[in-house]
Coordinates of all heavy atoms in Angstrom, one line a residue:
S229 N -20.9 -12.7 52.3 CA -19.5 -12.3 52.0 C -19.5 -11.2 50.9 O -20.4 -11.1 50.2 CB -18.6 -13.4 51.6 OG -19.1 -13.9 50.3
R230 N -18.4 -10.4 50.9 CA -18.3 -9.3 49.8 C -18.5 -9.9 48.4 O -19.2 -9.4 47.6 CB -17.0 -8.6 50.0 CG -16.9 -7.4 49.0 CD -15.5 -6.9 49.1 NE -15.2 -6.3 50.3 CZ -15.1 -5.0 50.6 NH1 -15.2 -4.1 49.6 NH2 -14.8 -4.5 51.8
K231 N -17.8 -11.1 48.2 CA -17.8 -11.7 46.9 C -19.2 -12.1 46.5 O -19.7 -11.8 45.3 CB -16.9 -12.9 46.9 CG -16.8 -13.6 45.6 CD -15.8 -14.8 45.6 CE -15.8 -15.6 44.3 NZ -14.8 -16.7 44.4
V232 N -20.0 -12.7 47.4 CA -21.3 -13.1 47.1 C -22.2 -11.9 46.8 O -23.1 -11.9 45.9 CB -21.9 -14.0 48.2 CG1 -23.4 -14.3 48.0 CG2 -21.1 -15.3 48.3
L233 N -22.1 -10.9 47.7 CA -22.9 -9.7 47.5 C -22.6 -9.0 46.2 O -23.6 -8.7 45.5 CB -22.6 -8.7 48.7 CG -23.3 -7.4 48.6 CD1 -24.8 -7.5 48.7 CD2 -22.8 -6.5 49.8
V234 N -21.4 -8.9 45.8 CA -21.0 -8.2 44.6 C -21.5 -9.0 43.4 O -22.1 -8.5 42.4 CB -19.5 -8.1 44.5 CG1 -19.1 -7.7 43.0 CG2 -19.0 -7.0 45.5
L235 N -21.4 -10.3 43.4 CA -21.9 -11.2 42.3 C -23.4 -11.1 42.2 O -23.9 -11.0 41.0 CB -21.5 -12.6 42.6 CG -21.7 -13.6 41.4 CD1 -20.9 -13.2 40.2 CD2 -21.3 -15.0 41.8
F236 N -24.1 -11.0 43.3 CA -25.6 -10.9 43.2 C -26.0 -9.6 42.5 O -26.8 -9.6 41.6 CB -26.1 -10.9 44.6 CG -27.6 -10.6 44.7 CD1 -28.6 -11.5 44.4 CD2 -28.0 -9.3 45.1 CE1 -29.9 -11.1 44.5 CE2 -29.3 -8.9 45.2 CZ -30.3 -9.8 44.9
V237 N -25.3 -8.5 42.9 CA -25.6 -7.2 42.3 C -25.3 -7.2 40.8 O -26.1 -6.7 39.9 CB -24.9 -6.1 43.0 CG1 -25.2 -4.7 42.3 CG2 -25.4 -6.0 44.5
V238 N -24.1 -7.7 40.4 CA -23.7 -7.7 39.0 C -24.7 -8.5 38.2 O -25.1 -8.1 37.1 CB -22.3 -8.3 38.9 CG1 -21.9 -8.5 37.4 CG2 -21.3 -7.3 39.5
Q239 N -25.1 -9.7 38.6 CA -26.0 -10.5 37.9 C -27.3 -9.8 37.6 O -28.0 -10.0 36.6 CB -26.2 -11.9 38.6 CG -25.0 -12.8 38.5 CD -25.1 -14.0 39.3 OE1 -26.0 -14.1 40.2 NE2 -24.3 -15.0 39.1
K240 N -27.8 -9.1 38.6 CA -29.1 -8.4 38.5 C -29.0 -7.2 37.6 O -30.0 -6.8 36.9 CB -29.6 -7.9 39.9 CG -29.9 -9.1 40.8 CD -31.2 -9.8 40.4 CE -31.7 -10.8 41.4 NZ -32.9 -11.5 41.0
L241 N -27.8 -6.6 37.5 CA -27.6 -5.3 36.7 C -27.2 -5.6 35.3 O -27.4 -4.7 34.4 CB -26.6 -4.4 37.4 CG -27.0 -3.6 38.7 CD1 -25.8 -2.9 39.2 CD2 -28.1 -2.7 38.3
E242 N -26.6 -6.7 35.0 CA -25.8 -6.9 33.7 C -26.7 -6.7 32.5 O -26.3 -6.3 31.4 CB -25.1 -8.2 33.7 CG -26.0 -9.4 33.8 CD -25.2 -10.7 33.8 OE1 -24.0 -10.6 33.7 OE2 -25.8 -11.8 34.0
A243 N -28.0 -7.0 32.6 CA -28.9 -6.9 31.4 C -29.1 -5.4 31.0 O -29.1 -5.1 29.8 CB -30.3 -7.5 31.7
R244 N -29.2 -4.5 32.0 CA -29.4 -3.1 31.7 C -28.2 -2.2 31.7 O -28.1 -1.2 31.1 CB -30.5 -2.5 32.6 CG -31.9 -3.0 32.3 CD -32.9 -2.4 33.3 NE -32.7 -2.7 34.7 CZ -32.6 -1.8 35.6 NH1 -32.7 -0.5 35.3 NH2 -32.4 -2.1 36.9
F245 N -27.2 -2.6 32.6 CA -26.0 -1.9 32.8 C -24.8 -2.8 32.6 O -24.2 -3.2 33.6 CB -26.0 -1.2 34.1 CG -27.1 -0.3 34.4 CD1 -28.1 -0.6 35.3 CD2 -27.2 0.9 33.8 CE1 -29.1 0.2 35.6 CE2 -28.3 1.8 34.0 CZ -29.2 1.4 34.9
P246 N -24.4 -3.1 31.3 CA -23.3 -4.0 31.1 C -22.0 -3.5 31.6 O -21.0 -4.3 31.8 CB -23.3 -4.2 29.6 CG -24.0 -3.0 29.0 CD -25.1 -2.7 30.1
Q247 N -21.9 -2.2 31.9 CA -20.6 -1.7 32.4 C -20.4 -2.0 33.9 O -19.4 -1.7 34.5 CB -20.6 -0.1 32.2 CG -21.5 0.7 33.1 CD -22.9 0.8 32.6 OE1 -23.4 0.0 31.9 NE2 -23.6 1.9 33.0
A248 N -21.5 -2.5 34.5 CA -21.4 -2.8 36.0 C -20.6 -4.2 36.1 O -21.2 -5.2 36.2 CB -22.8 -2.9 36.6
S249 N -19.3 -4.1 36.3 CA -18.5 -5.3 36.4 C -18.3 -5.6 37.9 O -18.7 -4.8 38.8 CB -17.1 -5.0 35.8 OG -16.4 -4.0 36.5
K250 N -17.7 -6.8 38.2 CA -17.5 -7.1 39.6 C -16.5 -6.1 40.3 O -16.7 -5.8 41.4 CB -16.9 -8.6 39.7 CG -17.9 -9.7 39.4 CD -17.3 -11.0 39.6 CE -16.4 -11.4 38.5 NZ -16.0 -12.9 38.6
T251 N -15.6 -5.6 39.5 CA -14.7 -4.6 40.1 C -15.4 -3.3 40.4 O -15.2 -2.8 41.5 CB -13.5 -4.3 39.1 OG1 -12.8 -5.5 38.8 CG2 -12.6 -3.3 39.6
S252 N -16.2 -2.8 39.5 CA -16.9 -1.5 39.7 C -17.9 -1.7 40.9 O -18.0 -0.8 41.7 CB -17.6 -1.0 38.4 OG -18.6 -1.9 38.0
I253 N -18.7 -2.8 40.9 CA -19.6 -3.0 42.0 C -18.9 -3.2 43.3 O -19.4 -2.7 44.4 CB -20.6 -4.1 41.7 CG1 -21.4 -3.8 40.4 CG2 -21.5 -4.4 42.9 CD1 -22.3 -2.6 40.5
G254 N -17.8 -3.8 43.3 CA -16.9 -4.0 44.5 C -16.5 -2.6 45.0 O -16.5 -2.4 46.2
H255 N -16.3 -1.7 44.1 CA -15.9 -0.3 44.6 C -17.1 0.4 45.2 O -16.9 1.3 46.1 CB -15.3 0.5 43.4 CG -14.0 0.0 43.0 ND1 -13.4 0.3 41.8 CD2 -13.1 -0.8 43.6 CE1 -12.2 -0.3 41.7 NE2 -12.0 -1.0 42.8
V256 N -18.3 0.1 44.7 CA -19.5 0.7 45.3 C -19.7 0.2 46.7 O -20.0 0.9 47.6 CB -20.8 0.4 44.4 CG1 -22.0 0.9 45.1 CG2 -20.6 1.1 43.0
V257 N -19.5 -1.1 46.8 CA -19.6 -1.7 48.2 C -18.6 -1.1 49.1 O -18.8 -0.9 50.3 CB -19.5 -3.3 48.1 CG1 -19.4 -3.9 49.4 CG2 -20.7 -3.8 47.3
Q258 N -17.4 -0.9 48.6 CA -16.3 -0.3 49.4 C -16.7 1.1 49.9 O -16.4 1.5 51.0 CB -15.0 -0.2 48.5 CG -13.9 0.4 49.2 CD -13.4 -0.3 50.5 OE1 -13.7 -1.5 50.6 NE2 -12.6 0.4 51.3
L259 N -17.5 1.8 49.0 CA -17.9 3.2 49.4 C -18.8 3.0 50.7 O -18.7 3.8 51.6 CB -18.7 3.8 48.3 CG -19.1 5.3 48.5 CD1 -17.9 6.2 48.6 CD2 -19.9 5.7 47.2
L260 N -19.7 2.0 50.6 CA -20.6 1.8 51.8 C -19.8 1.3 53.0 O -20.2 1.7 54.1 CB -21.7 0.8 51.4 CG -22.7 1.2 50.3 CD1 -23.6 0.1 50.0 CD2 -23.4 2.5 50.7
Y261 N -18.8 0.6 52.7 CA -18.0 0.1 53.8 C -17.2 1.3 54.5 O -17.2 1.4 55.7 CB -16.9 -0.9 53.3 CG -16.0 -1.5 54.3 CD1 -16.4 -2.5 55.2 CD2 -14.7 -0.9 54.5 CE1 -15.5 -3.0 56.2 CE2 -13.8 -1.4 55.5 CZ -14.2 -2.5 56.3 OH -13.4 -2.9 57.2
R262 N -16.7 2.2 53.7 CA -16.1 3.4 54.2 C -17.1 4.2 55.0 O -16.7 4.9 56.0 CB -15.5 4.2 53.1 CG -14.1 3.8 52.6 CD -13.6 4.8 51.6 NE -13.6 6.2 52.1 CZ -12.5 6.7 52.6 NH1 -11.4 6.0 52.7 NH2 -12.5 8.0 53.0
A263 N -18.3 4.2 54.7 CA -19.4 4.9 55.4 C -19.8 4.2 56.6 O -20.8 4.7 57.3 CB -20.5 5.2 54.4
S264 N -19.2 3.1 56.9 CA -19.6 2.3 58.1 C -21.1 1.8 58.1 O -21.7 1.9 59.2 CB -19.3 3.1 59.4 OG -18.0 3.5 59.5

């Protein structure tokens, strides 16, 4: 699901990129969704 995918990415990134929130990563996933 989108929620699980976003949470996985945020947890892996938070140590090095604390600015990577669930909202921002959700928007990255949305970009890939728009790209089909």
Side-chain angles (χ1 to χ4, degrees):
S229 68
R230 182 188 296 251
K231 181 178 180 180
V232 170
L233 176 61
V234 168
L235 191 58
F236 170 80
V237 175
V238 170
Q239 289 175 343
K240 293 289 186 181
L241 283 178
E242 60 185 357
R244 286 182 301 128
F245 301 109
Q247 74 273 26
S249 63
K250 286 188 285 187
T251 299
S252 63
I253 296 301
H255 289 165
V256 173
V257 172
Q258 177 63 19
L259 187 62
L260 297 177
Y261 179 82
R262 277 184 57 94
S264 301

